[in-house]
């Protein structure tokens, strides 16, 4: 962890207009949760709102915007060279980026999840959702940071993972759920909130171990690729 | 003393060879890396700076390979061609952050010194995005120098600078070289290189075409055929008279006077006035027409 890198990363993140995209979704989530509970059918609204909007949309979209911005946009505009021309172990650079991405994503997602949970069914659900979102934020951030170094189009590849793999395949083919961060978050929320409003499909052990695996692999891949970071000559 | 050594370095992309078997050793002083656009200067610089793996051969900084070895950045500074900088930072923040990232004992003092060196202290509290190209370039040099590296690599540092900024940058590079640093800068403009450094490495189409003192290379080039454009009071009669001279290899008559291919620069320029005087022809204009860098390079490649 390097405070200077984290500071520059955070400044870069909040300085970009892309960051403003983060604000409408939490408001929609809280608004829908409030609407659902005021209509008086929490069991009908809980899963589509908290699961569909909160876990399946707000969390991955926020993590994608933030996760690809912390490193991907620096690679895009070439400013990453300023950080790479320093005698800093590459894992520290990745760790600093991960901490910022995880922190910003967690705050942007966990707080509205907490409120939406409280509005729907009380504190227990709110805290469970917030904690599960934090775990998901870490795994997603590591994944999207790794994608930023592995591919030139991290946003596209990230979107494909979230939309196609998690969104479509995981609902149709049960086997793919083992590799779906969304499913881990649902299972963890189900367990921690101790509620029947949200039902997980993977076991809590799988959810925990796989979240750790995603985080560790993403971190290691990103570090290794950053070590071999090449700048292509513009004239060659 | 810091030296940068390249041993049999090649780099290819698929079937395209960008750098072809280059061996060179860079020591203290300023060296110009000269070559036409697309010759592979940037590719070579990136390999020197550890941002590209050589396909074959090795680049070492004081015996340490530069590839996958971030520790070299304690002794190396890079100013890349791509004008990338965090525009939201002020000049001071940018250089100070570099000093802190290097883990220097006194980052504030180092940043102050570096900014003074490039004379950017006055506008150090403005954001980089408000700087002119030259100011940004100088700030980037300050950031690359903040840890007092033995080797400084600059890719096209004069691009986009006005003449005054250019002069200032040239003086700065000169001073850095005199201090005993190894300074390498790339350029495709002969005059820039000529003014800053005596030592050049000339890259043409990925190969090292010439290496050493600039004046020596220039002198060696006088053996190539020289092309002159001449306008006179009677071009046709002058053409006939010139063909009789041993120093002339060929003459062609065009709409805009004569084009003469001379075998030897010195002999021809001495003979032309004599011939013209004997024929009673007035020479209105004599211009060497192949002094462009491209023709110098093509000569170097052919040699």
């Amino acid at each position: 962890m390097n405070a200077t890198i984290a500071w520059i990363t955070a400044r870069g993140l909040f300085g970009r207009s892309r960051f403003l995209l983060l604000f409408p979704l939490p408001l929609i989530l809280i608004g829908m949760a409030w609407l659902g509970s005021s209509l008086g059918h929490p069991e009908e609204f809980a899963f589509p709102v908290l699961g569909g909007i909160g876990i399946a949309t707000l969390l991955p979209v926020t993590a994608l915007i933030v996760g690809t911005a912390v490193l991907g946009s620096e690679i895009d505009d070439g400013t990453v060279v300023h950080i790479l021309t320093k005698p800093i172990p590459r894992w520290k650079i990745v760790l600093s980026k991960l901490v910022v991405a995880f922190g910003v994503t967690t705050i942007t997602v966990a707080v509205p999840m907490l409120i939406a949970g409280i509005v729907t069914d009380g504190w227990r659900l709110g805290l469970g959702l917030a904690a599960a979102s934090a775990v998901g934020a870490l795994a997603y951030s590591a994944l999207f940071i790794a994608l930023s170094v592995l591919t030139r189009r991290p946003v596209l590849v990230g979107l494909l993972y979230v939309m196609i793999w998690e969104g479509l395949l995981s609902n149709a083919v049960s086997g793919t759920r083992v590799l779906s961060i969304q499913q881990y978050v649902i299972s963890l929320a189900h367990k921690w909130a101790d509620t029947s409003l949200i039902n997980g499909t993977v076991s809590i052990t799988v959810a925990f171990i796989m979240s750790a695996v995603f985080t560790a692999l993403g971190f290691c891949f990103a570090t290794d690729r950053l070590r071999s970071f090449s700048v292509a000559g513009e004239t060659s | 003393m810091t030296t940068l050594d390249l041993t049999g370095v090649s780099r290819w992309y698929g079937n395209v060879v960008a750098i072809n078997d280059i061996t060179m050793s860079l020591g203290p002083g300023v060296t110009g890396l000269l070559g036409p656009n697309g010759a592979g200067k940037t590719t070579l610089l990136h390999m020197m700076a550890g941002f590209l793996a050589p396909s074959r051969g090795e680049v070492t900084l004081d015996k340490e390979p530069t590839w996958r070895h971030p520790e070299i950045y304690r002794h190396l500074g890079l100013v890349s061609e791509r004008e990338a900088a965090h525009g939201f930072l002020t000049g001071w923040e940018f250089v100070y952050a570099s000093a802190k990232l290097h883990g220097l004992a006194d980052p504030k003092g180092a940043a102050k010194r570096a900014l003074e060196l490039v004379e950017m202290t006055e506008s150090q509290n403005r954001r980089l995005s408000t700087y002119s190209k030259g100011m940004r370039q100088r700030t980037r040099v300050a950031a690359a120098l903040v840890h007092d590296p033995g080797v400084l690599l600059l890719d096209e540092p004069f691009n986009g600078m006005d003449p005054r900024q250019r002069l200032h940058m040239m003086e700065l590079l000169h001073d850095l070289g005199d201090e005993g640093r190894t300074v390498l800068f790339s350029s495709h403009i002969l005059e820039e290189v000529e003014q800053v450094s005596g030592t050049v490495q000339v890259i043409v189409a990925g190969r090292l075409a010439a290496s050493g003192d600039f004046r020596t290379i220039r002198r060696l080039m006088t053996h190539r055929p020289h092309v002159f454009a001449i306008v006179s009071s009677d071009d046709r009669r002058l053409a006939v008279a010139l063909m009789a001279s041993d120093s002339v290899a060929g003459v062609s008559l065009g709409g805009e006077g004569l084009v003469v291919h001379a075998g030897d620069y010195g002999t021809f320029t001495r003979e032309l006035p004599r011939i013209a005087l004997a024929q009673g022809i007035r020479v209105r204009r004599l211009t060497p027409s192949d002094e462009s860098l491209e023709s110098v390079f093509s000569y170097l490649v052919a040699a």
Side-chain angles (χ1 to χ4, degrees):
Chain A
M1 176 64 182
N2 182 303
T4 311
I5 296 179
W7 174 74
I8 295 178
T9 305
R11 295 253 334 235
L13 195 61
F14 298 125
R16 283 173 221 268
S17 51
R18 187 147 54 140
F19 185 67
L20 295 173
L21 289 173
L22 297 180
F23 290 107
L25 267 174
L27 296 177
I28 292 174
L29 174 71
I30 296 170
M32 290 298 285
W34 174 78
L35 193 69
S37 73
S38 62
L39 290 175
H41 296 285
E43 65 287 343
E44 258 177 59
F45 278 92
F47 194 73
V49 172
L50 301 175
I53 299 177
I55 296 172
T57 312
L58 173 64
L59 174 61
V61 167
T62 308
L64 184 67
I65 293 173
V66 177
T68 54
V70 290
L71 188 54
S73 48
E74 284 193 0
I75 291 174
D76 267 351
D77 64 17
T79 48
V80 74
V81 169
H82 287 293
I83 290 168
L84 291 178
T85 49
K86 306 293 182 289
I88 302 168
R90 276 26 184 163
W91 66 265
K92 277 193 185 171
I93 298 179
V94 176
L95 184 65
S96 311
K97 301 283 184 189
L98 184 60
V99 166
V100 173
F102 166 67
V104 173
T105 306
T106 302
I107 291 167
T108 323
V109 177
V111 173
M113 287 293 245
L114 177 72
I115 298 172
I118 295 169
V119 168
T120 308
D121 194 46
W123 277 95
R124 182 77 199 254
L125 181 61
L127 288 172
L129 281 170
S133 306
V135 174
L138 184 63
Y140 273 126
S141 297
L143 173 69
F144 295 139
I145 287 175
L147 286 180
S148 307
V149 207
L150 290 169
T151 141
R152 291 254 158 211
R153 301 183 181 282
V155 180
L156 183 70
V157 179
L159 262 183
L160 286 178
Y161 171 75
V162 172
M163 309 276 285
I164 306 295
W165 185 268
E166 295 196 330
L168 283 177
L169 288 179
S170 294
N171 288 327
V173 189
S174 62
T176 60
R177 286 175 195 163
V178 181
L179 287 176
S180 162
I181 297 172
Q182 182 191 320
Q183 297 297 327
Y184 313 154
V185 176
I186 293 175
S187 288
L188 290 172
H190 168 68
K191 171 83 180 165
W192 286 335
D194 192 23
T195 172
S196 56
L197 293 172
I198 294 168
N199 285 306
T201 48
V202 296
S203 78
I204 192 85
T205 323
V206 169
F208 249 122
I209 293 176
M210 288 309 291
S211 299
V213 166
F214 262 92
T215 310
L217 279 185
F219 180 78
C220 293
F221 265 119
T223 303
D224 185 65
R225 292 305 304 159
L226 204 59
R227 212 169 269 152
S228 315
F229 184 81
S230 296
V231 182
E234 275 167 44
T235 48
S236 56
Chain B
M1 172 169 150
T2 325
T3 53
L4 192 62
D5 288 295
L6 284 79
T7 323
V9 171
S10 297
R11 170 75 209 193
W12 51 80
Y13 297 94
N15 284 331
V16 183
V17 179
I19 292 294
N20 195 344
D21 194 23
I22 286 185
T23 299
M24 63 167 80
S25 180
L26 301 169
V30 184
T31 305
L33 183 65
L34 185 62
N37 282 328
K41 300 188 296 293
T42 299
T43 305
L44 194 64
L45 265 166
H46 281 155
M47 284 195 282
M48 290 176 178
F51 278 104
L52 196 62
S55 304
R56 184 178 290 167
E58 203 176 36
V59 184
T60 56
L61 181 75
D62 283 342
K63 309 277 181 289
E64 299 272 14
T66 59
W67 178 242
R68 280 176 80 96
H69 208 275
E71 281 300 305
I72 60 151
Y73 298 118
R74 290 192 194 285
H75 312 289
L76 186 142
L78 171 71
V79 182
S80 57
E81 183 191 11
R82 206 166 158 191
E83 208 198 336
H86 302 85
F88 51 85
L89 297 180
T90 66
W92 167 260
E93 285 172 334
F94 183 64
V95 179
Y96 179 55
S98 286
K100 282 210 290 189
L101 288 174
H102 273 290
L104 301 179
D106 175 21
K108 280 216 165 80
K112 194 163 171 288
R113 266 197 310 282
L115 281 163
E116 276 165 6
L117 193 65
V118 298
E119 293 176 18
M120 280 300 296
T121 42
E122 238 169 76
S123 26
Q124 66 177 24
N125 292 321
R126 273 169 50 196
R127 283 171 180 241
L128 292 179
S129 51
T130 66
Y131 282 3
S132 71
K133 198 165 181 175
M135 291 163 82
R136 206 151 35 223
Q137 187 77 301
R138 274 189 283 161
T139 311
R140 281 166 7 100
V141 172
L145 280 174
V146 77
H147 58 303
D148 201 19
V151 176
L152 182 66
L153 306 175
L154 306 102
D155 198 0
E156 300 279 356
F158 303 109
N159 261 6
M161 286 192 167
D162 66 36
R164 207 195 63 83
Q165 292 168 334
R166 217 172 265 245
L167 201 67
H168 183 262
M169 180 65 79
M170 284 176 180
E171 278 166 10
L172 180 64
L173 294 187
H174 238 297
D175 295 345
L176 292 171
D178 288 344
E179 282 169 22
R181 277 178 235 267
T182 303
V183 180
L184 179 84
F185 74 100
S186 74
S187 174
H188 60 278
I189 298 167
L190 199 60
E191 283 64 37
E192 284 178 356
V193 180
E194 199 176 5
Q195 281 171 46
V196 181
S197 73
T199 319
V200 293
Q201 307 280 351
V202 185
I203 307 285
V204 182
R207 289 170 188 272
L208 188 61
S211 163
D213 186 76
F214 180 76
R215 283 158 287 273
T216 316
I217 299 172
R218 248 273 165 84
R219 215 169 298 141
L220 290 170
M221 283 178 196
T222 56
H223 293 294
R224 78 195 152 113
H226 291 263
V227 182
F228 295 93
I230 300 175
V231 178
S232 70
S233 54
D234 190 342
D235 289 340
R236 193 167 291 273
R237 208 147 56 78
L238 183 63
V240 173
L242 283 175
M243 272 313 280
S245 164
D246 278 346
S247 66
V248 175
V251 181
S252 57
L253 266 168
E256 278 284 308
L258 284 172
V259 176
V260 178
H261 291 255
D264 185 79
Y265 190 96
T267 322
F268 174 74
T269 46
R270 276 193 301 277
E271 282 203 352
L272 177 68
R274 202 175 50 72
I275 295 168
L277 201 64
Q279 300 289 326
I281 298 167
R282 186 181 294 268
V283 174
R284 295 214 176 88
R285 198 163 68 214
L286 168 68
T287 39
S289 62
D290 65 339
E291 289 291 271
S292 75
L293 189 59
E294 286 301 329
S295 59
V296 174
F297 281 139
S298 55
Y299 174 70
L300 277 172
V301 178

